[in-house]
Amino acid sequence: MEPPVRGLGRCASCFWLAVAFDVLGLLVLLVGVFVNVFFYDLLIYAGAIVIFLSLIWWVFWYSGNIDVPPAELQDDVGLLKKPRGFTALRGAVARLSGRVSSGFRTSLRRTGGARSSARSPGGARSPADPLVDPQPGHVTVAMATLGPPGKGPPDGAETSPT
């Protein structure tokens, strides 16, 4: 068994980072409060944010120093043998899950929900048929940029004869 950790614990770097963030945040905050500068509000908010961020390092330091006895840790990492009924239940759940997911896959195949495109691998259309989609049910819509009524087309826009 390991001897207990003394002093700052195992995560001394997190401790010193937390202290540094606290000191820096407090200095910035106090400069914003007591020094007459035109950006005092920025300093006050920045100091408060840096002090808040120091909480992350305090949590890391604290959680890194939690001691868990090996007897309590064994159950959490799966070192203890599970009862026989548990593995049977897990197998039944896995079989049920497989049946449900295969049912979804076959229903998608029947209804056509997961179709593949008949286009070329790059998704490009053939030059002979640029506006026809090979999949039934799809609609091709042509769109154009229009300006305000009564004015010509926007700058740089080309007009096509109709």
Side-chain angles (χ1 to χ4, degrees), residues 46-70:
I49 289 172
V50 171
I51 291 172
F52 176 75
L53 291 176
S54 77
L55 290 174
I56 295 171
W57 297 112
W58 285 116
V59 168
F60 283 170
W61 175 72
Y62 180 79
S63 61
N65 286 314
I66 295 175
D67 289 324
V68 180

Side-chain angles (χ1 to χ4, degrees), residues 73-82:
L73 187 62
Q74 282 180 343
D75 186 38
D76 291 341
V77 295
L79 296 177
L80 296 178
K81 297 288 184 190
K82 302 288 187 224

Side-chain angles (χ1 to χ4, degrees), residues 1-159:
M1 188 166 160
E2 296 180 21
V5 180
R6 305 246 185 243
L8 298 177
R10 286 183 287 266
C11 300
S13 59
C14 290
F15 175 83
W16 290 116
L17 276 169
V19 169
F21 270 57
D22 280 338
V23 169
L24 179 69
L26 187 63
L27 286 175
V28 171
L29 184 103
L30 291 177
V31 165
V33 170
F34 293 114
V35 175
N36 190 13
V37 291
F38 69 93
F39 54 92
Y40 68 93
D41 52 346
L42 174 73
L43 294 174
I44 292 172
Y45 287 129
I49 289 172
V50 171
I51 291 172
F52 176 75
L53 291 176
S54 77
L55 290 174
I56 295 171
W57 297 112
W58 285 116
V59 168
F60 283 170
W61 175 72
Y62 180 79
S63 61
N65 286 314
I66 295 175
D67 289 324
V68 180
E72 290 182 25
L73 187 62
Q74 282 180 343
D75 186 38
D76 291 341
V77 295
L79 296 177
L80 296 178
K81 297 288 184 190
K82 302 288 187 224
R84 175 81 177 133
F86 180 75
T87 56
L89 177 65
R90 185 171 33 180
V93 169
R95 284 191 303 275
L96 178 65
S97 170
R99 287 181 185 165
V100 169
S101 63
S102 68
F104 280 129
R105 278 188 299 239
T106 56
S107 69
L108 285 175
R109 286 185 192 132
R110 279 183 290 193
T111 61
R115 289 187 191 144
S116 63
S117 177
R119 294 182 189 163
S120 64
R125 297 180 189 271
S126 67
D129 197 12
L131 297 177
V132 176
D133 197 333
Q135 295 181 352
H138 286 206
V139 177
T140 304
V141 177
M143 299 179 72
T145 306
L146 301 176
K151 294 190 177 190
D155 292 338
E158 296 180 17
T159 57

